Amino acid sequence: MPRIVPSPLRFLKYGLPKQHHHHQQPLRALFRPTHQYQPLRHQSQGPRQSRGGYNYNYDHNSYRQYRPPNRWSIKRHIGKGYLEALILIFFLYKYKYPKAIMSSSLIPDNPDEVMVIRDLTPNVAIFSVPFSRFGKIPIGGRGTAVRLTSGSIAVFSPVALTEATKAKIASWGGQVKYLVATDIEHHIFLSEWKKAYPAAKLIGPEGLPEKRLKVKNDPKIGHEPFDVVIGKNTPRPYSVDVEFDKDFEVEYIASHPNKEVVFLYKPDKVLIEADLLFNLPATEQYSKVPEEKKPKPGLLGGWFMGMNSTEGEAKGMKRFLWWVVSRADRDGFNEIVGRMYRDWDFEVIVPCHGEVIEKGAKEVWGRVFEWHLEGKK
């Protein structure tokens, strides 16, 4: 009877087995053969071998199992979470941060019919749309509009500029003064909004202007200059202008793969982010999509969605953030998310992907980033 090696995905749910000194081996040890021919302890007792591969002796303690060699078996017990890290990194680049593709393939055919526009507060409105990775994993998309105390409007991670979107902006006076890309991925509709509101300032993270300049064959992505670029060498506190700074706190996470810029709208205590924290499933973002047209995530897609949920202890997301998202500079990442947790007063979290967290947002933040705030457990 062959040895059963447990599925690697069990480690994501239950964690690694208890570590012993003989399990703490280098990465190359993961792929060493684990099944060997094992000699009998008491050959003199005349063992007999059954057809099932077992050796039996009259002495019960001399029981041994015949194990055929398997040179591709992964070690049953692995040290330091190597396998877990490899799986997470694979899914990060395959599903969460895929290679660039034409922006037209990312836009619904009928955005006005499937977009959900809703007021979170009298001064914060969200624009939720369906969006799926590779047409299989429904993660949704979301733009956020904020009316400043001055009456100007800031739009974060803009979505398609539809007639309904224009009407909502017009109902607030139509004075769009800031267009913000919250990371290097959420920028596709900046040119479309800039043409409609030419007086608006473009704001984004370092690397995004260069990324857009390299795009030559996508009609939706222009080469407009950015008015404010936030980077690791930008002095803190980050500043846009006096009017914007009066209402917003800003943090930049350079170690995040997507160069995250996070905003706190102080008057209404609303935190706005892009890919720092997902909250799947994307129920509201797919609420107007007919059931037969909703993508079917499948086994791996369902696993990915579970890894990016804040429900329960959020162990999957904790591991994803720890092993993958913050790996480039974990100390710097810890410092920034800790500062936001301690110093920012927020009651709502608006992510680009998944459900808005409208109750207990501070508690959810503390639970998801627990390892970064208190140390890995």
Side-chain angles (χ1 to χ4, degrees):
M1 182 175 182
R3 170 185 277 180
I4 298 175
V5 178
S7 167
L9 299 185
R10 286 179 59 83
F11 294 117
L12 302 178
K13 183 175 182 180
Y14 300 108
L16 295 173
K18 184 178 180 180
Q19 300 297 297
H20 301 285
H21 64 90
H22 57 280
H23 293 156
Q24 297 174 358
Q25 302 183 30
L27 183 60
R28 63 178 178 274
L30 293 178
F31 301 97
R32 287 176 181 163
T34 61
H35 295 183
Q36 305 292 340
Y37 291 97
Q38 296 193 3
L40 296 172
R41 181 181 299 176
H42 304 293
Q43 296 285 353
S44 61
Q45 295 183 4
R48 60 186 179 85
Q49 183 171 316
S50 71
R51 302 178 74 179
Y54 288 93
N55 294 322
Y56 297 93
N57 294 304
Y58 293 103
D59 180 0
H60 183 72
N61 293 327
S62 65
Y63 166 88
R64 286 293 183 271
Q65 181 179 352
Y66 175 82
R67 296 171 181 168
N70 183 345
R71 297 186 178 277
W72 303 108
S73 294
I74 298 176
K75 293 181 73 65
R76 179 184 178 91
H77 299 301
I78 59 178
K80 302 181 182 179
Y82 286 124
L83 182 59
E84 182 179 54
L86 290 172
I87 293 172
L88 292 177
I89 291 171
F90 169 77
F91 276 93
L92 173 73
Y93 289 106
K94 183 171 179 61
Y95 289 108
K96 200 168 185 179
Y97 307 107
K99 295 180 180 179
I101 56 178
M102 287 292 289
S103 61
S104 58
S105 64
L106 305 176
I107 305 169
D109 296 333
N110 51 346
D112 241 343
E113 295 180 14
V114 295
M115 183 183 298
V116 178
I117 301 177
R118 179 166 68 94
D119 288 335
L120 285 180
T121 74
N123 298 305
V124 178
I126 56 174
F127 306 81
S128 302
V129 295
F131 171 67
S132 59
R133 287 298 189 193
F134 303 104
K136 297 180 180 179
I137 307 178
I139 64 174
R142 178 175 290 109
T144 306
V146 177
R147 181 166 52 188
L148 282 64
T149 54
S150 63
S152 299
I153 299 172
V155 181
F156 300 83
S157 303
V159 294
L161 187 59
T162 66
E163 293 303 318
T165 305
K166 293 177 183 177
K168 180 61 182 179
I169 296 299
S171 70
W172 280 3
Q175 189 181 353
V176 177
K177 195 169 181 179
Y178 308 97
L179 296 173
V180 184
T182 44
D183 65 18
I184 63 172
E185 295 294 329
H186 295 79
H187 66 96
I188 291 176
F189 297 101
L190 286 178
S191 296
E192 186 175 325
W193 283 74
K194 180 67 174 177
K195 290 177 183 178
Y197 306 98
K201 293 182 178 180
L202 289 184
I203 304 167
E206 60 182 343
L208 180 56
E210 294 80 3
K211 177 179 180 178
R212 289 171 62 86
L213 286 173
K214 292 178 181 178
V215 179
K216 305 296 184 181
N217 58 348
D218 195 326
K220 279 200 166 293
I221 299 178
H223 299 160
E224 300 85 357
F226 278 68
D227 299 278
V228 178
V229 176
I230 300 173
K232 60 183 178 181
N233 295 323
T234 306
R236 295 187 64 256
Y238 304 109
S239 175
V240 174
D241 59 27
V242 175
E243 182 182 2
F244 189 92
D245 298 344
K246 179 182 177 181
D247 285 352
F248 288 96
E249 295 281 357
V250 183
E251 283 289 357
Y252 173 59
I253 308 178
S255 60
H256 193 285
N258 281 355
K259 308 298 181 185
E260 289 288 305
V261 188
V262 186
F263 298 85
L264 171 67
Y265 180 55
K266 294 182 285 186
D268 290 356
K269 301 181 180 181
V270 176
L271 186 150
I272 303 168
E273 49 93 9
D275 293 336
L276 178 61
L277 183 153
F278 281 35
N279 188 29
L280 301 180
T283 304
E284 181 176 34
Q285 292 159 328
Y286 275 84
S287 60
K288 285 190 174 183
V289 178
E291 193 65 33
E292 64 274 10
K293 293 186 178 180
K294 293 180 180 179
K296 304 298 186 290
L299 179 61
L300 294 180
W303 174 82
F304 179 84
M305 292 171 65
M307 286 290 295
N308 287 280
S309 170
T310 62
E311 291 296 320
E313 297 183 18
K315 285 188 176 181
M317 185 173 291
K318 286 179 183 177
R319 293 187 173 100
F320 196 92
L321 290 167
W322 182 266
W323 290 110
V324 180
V325 174
S326 65
R327 72 187 186 280
D329 179 13
R330 189 164 293 131
D331 291 339
F333 188 95
N334 296 352
E335 179 185 352
I336 295 171
V337 298
R339 186 163 55 237
M340 287 189 280
Y341 182 70
R342 293 188 306 270
D343 300 343
W344 285 10
D345 183 16
F346 57 91
E347 298 176 352
V348 177
I349 298 175
V350 182
C352 280
H353 307 291
E355 296 299 279
V356 176
I357 303 172
E358 300 183 58
K359 294 182 180 180
K362 202 74 176 278
E363 185 272 332
V364 172
W365 186 277
R367 185 172 70 248
V368 168
F369 293 103
E370 178 184 9
W371 291 357
H372 301 279
L373 300 174
E374 302 177 7
K376 184 179 181 299
K377 299 179 180 180

